[in-house]
Every structure is written in C-alpha cells, then in structure tokens.
Amino acid sequence: MRAVSLWRKQPFSLACRCCSRTFVADSASKLQIFDRQRKRAQRDRAAWFSPAQDPLLHSVSQNLVDRLQDCKKTFPTALCLGGSLQPIVSSLSTPPVNGGVEKLIVMDASYDMVQACRNTRRASSDNAVKTEFLVADEEFLPIKESSVDLVVSCLGLHWTNDLPGAMIQSRLALKPDGLFLAAILGGETLKELRIACTLAQMEREGGISPRVSPLAQVRDAGNLLTRAGFTLPGVDVDEYIVKYESALELIEHLRAMGETNALSQMNNILKRDTALATAAIYDSMFSSEDGTVPATFQVIYMTGWREHSSQQKAKRRGSATVSFKDIQKQFGSQS
C-alpha cells in the first residue's frame, strides 16, 4: 500500500453550464442501490465545474495507465468507460506510454461529460489516436462482443448497481487475451467524513442512517474479477491523503468530481443543521497543525484478462512432484 499526500490550496473555479441532455437507459437493474439518474445529473454538473487539472484524479489515472507499460503486447482498440474521464483519455492519447492504443472509444452516461471531453480533444493538437465518443450507461454496454483489446474504467464502476454484471459485459467486449483495467474507490474512502457525520447525526437526530455510499472492500476485488470470468486476476491498493482548508472545501471537491451521494433512498439528504454540525466536528477532530484537514481516498486497482490459449495456466491439483516437507528439510536446515 502506498500513501500519497496531496494538498489542495486553491478552490475550484466554476464554469457556466451551456448545454445538457438526459440519457435514459432501456432497462433497470433489479437491485437499485444507486439512483443512476441522480448520478447522471451529478456528472453533468461535474463536467462544467471540474478544473482542468485535478491532482487526485491525475494521480489515479496515471497510476492506472502505467500498468500498460508492464505489458509486452499492444492494445490497438481501447474502450474508456465513464468516471475520471478527461485525465484517463489524455493519458491514453499519449503514445508511446499508452500501450499502443490507436483507436479510443470514450463512453459515459453523461452527455455533458462526453461533450466536455470532446471539446478538450478538439482543442488538442495531438491527433495520434483516433477518438470516438458515445453516450451510454456502464450497466448496459452497447459494445459488440470481442471487439476491443482494452477496457479501462477509472473511478466510475463503483457507482454501478450491478458491478459483477458490468464487469462481465466488459469481459465479453474484449477480444481473447484482451485486458481489463479498473480503479474504484475502496471502503476506507472518506473514513473521516463517515465518523464526523455519524457523530453529528447522533447528536442532532438521535440516530444514524446511511449518508456515504457503500463501497467495495479490498478482499472483495479479487472475487469480483474471478466471478466476472477474468483470468490472471490482480489487485493492489493505493491510499491518497488529500489535505483541505476545511470540510466544506472537501464537499466542494466531491461535487466537482461528481462523487457526491447517489443512494436511491430519498431520505438520505442531511438536514442543514446536521450538515453544519458534521463540518464543525470534522474540522475540530481532524484539524492538523498547519490548519488543514485530511481526507482519505482508498483506490483499488483491478487487472484481469479475457481467457486465451497462450496464457499461463495453473497446474492440475495434485500434479506437484516436490512436497513442502522436502523443501522445508532442504532449506530449513540452512536457516
């Protein structure tokens, strides 16, 4: 695990919203943990409110794309799913460190986010990678089976109601020996905010209810990859500590990233006095000597491949010719 400290001093600048469009999915997941319409609206807002350079999103997207440099093969056609869209698109459009991507399909459920990303690409002078844009939902991928070499999702899949289903669709979209790369927020994310919110609710309302979205635990990530049918699964974790001048600045940052609460229950909005109490408790409990407050972002990186005959496979159970007892006898006596 690697801990990275980022200190954000200046508030984000706001841009005027110039267009919007509502995307409606053809069907709905049976289990509605998250309100996808609300999340789409939050991402519409984030498309125009987010800054050009966000240190946290840039670090996560760069660490995710860096994994391509560990692969000997290239990935001519790539699909980028919604989430931290602009930083990851920028990284995948920069050869030769982008894994040999020649064609990039950029997809998001938010029309505004796709439009903002398109505008950025048009303004860029780098046209080495052909880029196409698509408005669609990660829960219902409109991608032909076995059509892409790489699927990348940076901080987007943790908002899907059926995460295993979304990962299965991603695997089916891959060609044999295609690579799946994803970064999702883990269960330790915003643990400071959870504590402050719980204390404020108990003090003001006499009880607690879910206010921060549920997130996957590290131990679940490997099971998710195996359940989705990926081979050679890999999971690792980074922890980022971002410092803010106050709890209210943290909330502003979450809104700019499109990472605010999207639970499907309608009663999950904090009352004004409880929200103010949460901010006050946060600032008083976690304030550092330099006057800033920290916020933890745990990022789980997942890697998986679509099955192919060229991939290494585990030996059949019971086929070993050397026992652990023999190894212990040989090397144990030398210690």
Side-chain angles (χ1 to χ4, degrees):
M1 180 183 296
R2 175 176 53 193
V4 179
S5 179
L6 304 172
W7 188 8
R8 188 176 152 269
K9 294 183 179 180
Q10 299 297 329
F12 288 121
S13 59
L14 302 184
C16 294
R17 180 170 176 167
C18 58
C19 62
S20 64
R21 181 178 298 178
T22 301
F23 174 87
V24 180
D26 295 333
S27 59
S29 174
K30 294 180 180 179
L31 181 60
Q32 292 294 321
I33 301 174
F34 303 115
D35 186 334
R36 296 292 292 176
Q37 191 70 22
R38 181 185 301 180
K39 178 50 59 181
R40 194 169 298 117
Q42 292 173 355
R43 290 190 58 73
D44 283 344
R45 178 184 59 205
W48 309 107
F49 286 5
S50 58
Q53 292 291 335
D54 185 315
L56 174 62
L57 299 183
H58 176 77
S59 297
V60 174
S61 62
Q62 192 60 54
N63 288 339
L64 185 62
V65 174
D66 282 348
R67 285 156 171 75
L68 295 177
Q69 300 181 39
D70 298 329
C71 303
K72 295 182 179 180
K73 65 174 296 181
T74 58
F75 307 92
T77 305
L79 169 64
C80 179
L81 301 181
S84 177
L85 205 58
Q86 297 206 40
I88 200 72
V89 169
S90 176
S91 298
L92 289 175
S93 302
T94 308
V97 296
N98 63 343
V101 173
E102 300 173 359
K103 178 182 178 182
L104 178 61
I105 303 171
V106 180
M107 194 196 87
D108 198 285
S110 164
Y111 172 83
D112 288 14
M113 187 65 73
V114 172
Q115 186 64 31
C117 193
R118 180 188 284 117
N119 293 341
T120 302
R121 286 296 296 157
R122 286 176 178 173
S124 174
S125 58
D126 184 10
N127 297 316
V129 176
K130 180 182 178 183
T131 309
E132 298 179 357
F133 299 88
L134 176 65
V135 179
D137 197 311
E138 298 96 326
E139 294 187 345
F140 311 98
L141 287 184
I143 304 297
K144 185 178 179 181
E145 185 174 347
S146 303
S147 60
V148 298
D149 303 284
L150 172 68
V151 174
V152 180
S153 176
C154 184
L155 301 182
L157 287 179
H158 53 269
W159 290 113
T160 58
N161 286 302
D162 183 10
L163 181 53
M167 293 173 63
I168 290 173
Q169 293 182 67
S170 297
R171 178 180 61 81
L172 293 176
L174 288 169
K175 298 177 182 178
D177 205 29
L179 176 62
F180 172 78
L181 281 179
I184 62 174
L185 293 178
E188 293 298 309
T189 297
L190 299 179
K191 58 185 179 183
E192 301 89 352
L193 182 60
R194 295 173 191 266
I195 294 172
C197 188
T198 299
L199 293 177
Q201 279 188 273
M202 294 176 63
E203 176 186 315
R204 298 282 175 164
E205 302 176 13
I208 60 174
S209 59
R211 305 294 183 179
V212 181
S213 301
L215 297 169
Q217 300 295 325
V218 177
R219 62 179 178 272
D220 301 325
N223 294 333
L224 285 169
L225 289 166
T226 304
R227 180 178 175 184
F230 288 106
T231 60
L232 307 177
V235 177
D236 58 295
V237 182
D238 275 355
E239 191 171 276
Y240 301 84
I241 308 298
V242 185
K243 295 184 178 180
Y244 299 89
E245 293 184 352
S246 68
L248 295 179
E249 189 182 350
L250 164 62
I251 301 302
E252 177 194 346
H253 189 197
L254 294 175
R255 287 168 61 86
M257 291 192 299
E259 292 292 337
T260 47
N261 199 339
L263 291 172
S264 60
Q265 295 90 345
M266 296 304 295
N267 63 342
N268 61 6
I269 300 177
L270 280 177
K271 298 177 181 178
R272 178 177 174 81
D273 60 338
T274 306
L276 293 175
T278 298
I281 292 173
Y282 196 114
D283 291 340
S284 63
M285 285 187 64
F286 300 104
S287 180
S288 305
E289 293 182 358
D290 57 6
T292 62
V293 292
T296 301
F297 292 87
Q298 184 188 55
V299 180
I300 302 174
Y301 296 94
M302 298 186 292
T303 306
W305 297 80
R306 184 162 184 181
E307 187 176 5
H308 189 262
S309 58
S310 65
Q311 295 171 357
Q312 58 186 0
K313 295 178 175 61
K315 293 290 186 180
R316 181 178 56 83
R317 192 178 186 88
S319 61
T321 57
V322 179
S323 69
F324 283 106
K325 289 184 178 180
D326 295 335
I327 295 176
Q328 186 178 14
K329 288 179 181 178
Q330 181 177 355
F331 294 99
S333 59
Q334 299 177 7
S335 59

